[in-house]
Amino acid sequence: EVQLVESGGGLVQAGGSLRLSCAASGFTFEDYAIGWFRQAPGKEREGVSSISSSDGHTQYADSVKGRFTISCDNAKTTVYLQMNSLKPEDTAVYYCAVGKDGLGPHDPVYEYDYWGQGTHVIVSS
């Protein structure tokens, strides 16, 4: 059974950092794109970042460029999102998702095939 499990969320003050993890169960990330998305209360889900497991190409939403970094472990079973200089507007439920290689954070959410359950990030001002 394919599963994605996010962890690492929590409450942090503005300017702080968190590292989110997305662990794959039942498969590896080989030949997939892995994306991070977030959804704030009352807002649509938006893409944050993505990484290609085949060539390591990374993409970011403009709102997080220079602050967030996505990476994948060598075993291609865990993807991380290092979030620095967090702002209150980063508060959301963060989800990881897997889709065909080449997808990015700007692609429609329905293009992604598998989703995790989400992890909450709250940034206080």
Side-chain angles (χ1 to χ4, degrees), residues 10-125:
L11 173 63
V12 64
Q13 288 188 329
S17 298
L18 284 173
R19 188 176 81 155
L20 305 183
S21 299
C22 172
S25 175
F27 75 113
T28 69
F29 291 129
E30 193 76 39
D31 298 327
Y32 283 106
I34 305 92
W36 281 100
F37 294 78
R38 66 186 181 186
Q39 189 165 17
K43 295 189 177 181
E44 290 189 355
R45 193 167 297 189
E46 64 172 355
V48 174
S49 181
S50 69
I51 185 168
S52 165
S53 63
S54 62
D55 63 8
H57 178 63
T58 59
Q59 301 181 62
Y60 298 93
D62 288 344
S63 59
V64 306
K65 277 181 183 175
R67 300 188 299 123
F68 291 10
T69 304
I70 191 171
S71 62
C72 187
D73 70 346
N74 290 335
K76 297 188 179 179
T77 58
T78 305
V79 167
Y80 304 97
L81 186 68
Q82 178 67 42
M83 307 188 295
N84 298 329
S85 303
L86 282 162
K87 305 175 181 179
E89 51 263 44
D90 294 318
T91 295
V93 179
Y94 283 71
Y95 301 89
C96 65
V98 166
K100 65 179 181 181
D101 205 9
L103 289 175
H106 307 292
D107 287 307
V109 296
Y110 60 78
E111 294 278 3
Y112 285 81
D113 300 314
Y114 302 106
W115 291 81
Q117 83 290 347
T119 185
H120 290 257
V121 172
I122 301 172
V123 184
S124 63
S125 58

